[in-house]
Amino acid sequence: MVTLKSPREIDTMARAGRINHATLERCREMVKPGITTEDLDREAEKFIRSHKGAKPSFKGLYGFPKSLCISVNEEVVHGIPSPKRVLREGSIVSLDCGVCIDGFHADSAITVAVGKIAPETQHFLDTTERALAAGIEQARLGNHVGDIGHAVQAVAEAEGYGVIRELVGHGVGTKMHEDPQVPNHGKPKRGERLLEGMTIAIEPMITIGDYKTKMLADKWTVVTADGSLAAHFEHTVAVTRDGPRILTDGR
Ligand code: MG
Ligand code: MG
């Protein structure tokens, strides 16, 4: 069931979103060769909890043990932070963060270069971020969920990248995952109609190779089946009369 949020509820989500953005920016600055994914997680949790009433949404969600999902290189999503996981020069790392305040969640992700990366890898990251922007642009009254997926897919596939099918964006609000599903592929004018007060997480998960994925033995980490690099960018967006309102971009 899709729940529509009042302007006041959207403002509460925007407060969660601002903390989410600040958390990710703090972690982005920490990313460098030699740091562990556990270091990033610990800082994120401490920073989120330093805001009165704010909690990390992911900790304990479906039993997930940490505050951030941190996924390196061919890992797509849901990587578990670990003191054994040391970031290496030339890698890419996806940081996915959820923040809850006054019962409402915000969900956002970025993919960051570790030290110096290859120009084609940077282009891959830039394209995935551009795919997210194209999807957000379609989050307008009268459009459908398919318009978002179509826009994301068009940007990614124009560069020959793979659009992951098994994982999708989602409604977000009092629960981290609500209806509707927001796939990163689709056809214009198909799927759920976008209504005023919908709040959705738009989150392209793109690979530099094939789009097929598999699950690691930890039953959390999703990796590309062909071992190619994966990128993930995400914003929580409200559909409003004035167009898409991004709640996790720090404004
Ligand atoms: Mg997320
Ligand atoms: Mg999400």
Side-chain angles (χ1 to χ4, degrees):
M1 193 186 69
V2 171
T3 58
L4 302 178
K5 282 77 177 178
S6 69
R8 209 182 140 155
E9 290 171 328
I10 291 172
D11 285 342
T12 302
M13 290 180 65
R15 274 203 290 138
R18 277 190 287 275
I19 298 167
N20 197 321
H21 173 82
T23 306
L24 287 175
E25 287 310 307
R26 212 176 167 88
C27 289
R28 183 204 297 275
E29 283 168 22
M30 287 174 69
V31 167
K32 59 173 190 296
I35 199 168
T36 71
T37 56
E38 173 90 0
D39 294 330
L40 295 167
D41 180 73
R42 204 178 305 118
E43 177 61 24
E45 176 165 7
K46 194 173 80 177
F47 183 72
I48 292 167
R49 292 191 194 279
S50 74
H51 297 81
K52 194 171 182 294
K55 293 185 301 223
S57 304
F58 294 164
K59 198 155 197 178
L61 183 68
Y62 315 120
F64 191 77
K66 300 285 182 174
S67 296
L68 293 182
C69 295
I70 306 184
S71 309
V72 183
N73 292 333
E74 78 284 1
E75 297 171 358
V76 183
V77 286
H78 305 159
I80 304 172
S82 160
K84 289 185 204 139
R85 194 70 195 270
V86 182
L87 296 182
R88 307 260 178 236
E89 177 95 25
S91 290
I92 56 172
V93 59
S94 300
L95 310 170
D96 191 355
C97 183
V99 172
C100 182
I101 199 158
D102 292 341
F104 283 88
H105 298 274
D107 189 10
S108 185
I110 55 175
T111 303
V112 180
V114 184
K116 221 169 137 51
I117 58 171
E120 58 267 32
T121 309
Q122 186 60 53
H123 180 72
F124 170 56
L125 298 188
D126 294 343
T127 302
T128 305
E129 201 166 6
R130 200 155 50 78
L132 171 58
I136 291 170
E137 183 53 34
Q138 295 301 317
R140 295 180 176 279
L141 293 185
N143 275 359
H144 295 247
V145 158
D147 290 291
I148 296 173
H150 181 73
V152 169
Q153 183 177 16
V155 171
E157 291 185 350
E159 301 289 332
Y161 299 146
V163 176
I164 286 171
R165 309 291 205 262
E166 289 101 326
L167 299 150
V168 295
H170 51 90
V172 50
T174 55
K175 295 202 204 79
M176 191 68 206
H177 296 114
E178 299 182 347
D179 288 335
Q181 292 201 342
V182 184
N184 294 305
H185 65 288
K187 294 199 168 68
K189 302 297 161 209
R190 299 283 180 84
E192 196 94 34
R193 186 183 285 276
L194 300 178
L195 303 171
E196 185 176 355
M198 268 189 178
T199 45
I200 51 178
I202 302 176
E203 49 178 317
M205 288 157 272
I206 307 296
T207 81
I208 216 162
D210 190 82
Y211 64 77
K212 292 192 191 69
T213 63
K214 61 183 187 185
M215 177 80 82
L216 292 188
D218 66 12
K219 296 274 187 254
W220 278 106
T221 314
V222 178
V223 298
T224 56
D226 63 3
S228 62
L229 293 177
H232 181 206
F233 285 87
E234 175 178 35
H235 275 308
T236 296
V237 178
V239 179
T240 79
R241 223 175 295 181
D242 305 320
R245 178 180 171 196
I246 304 174
L247 304 179
T248 46
D249 64 355
R251 276 183 282 173

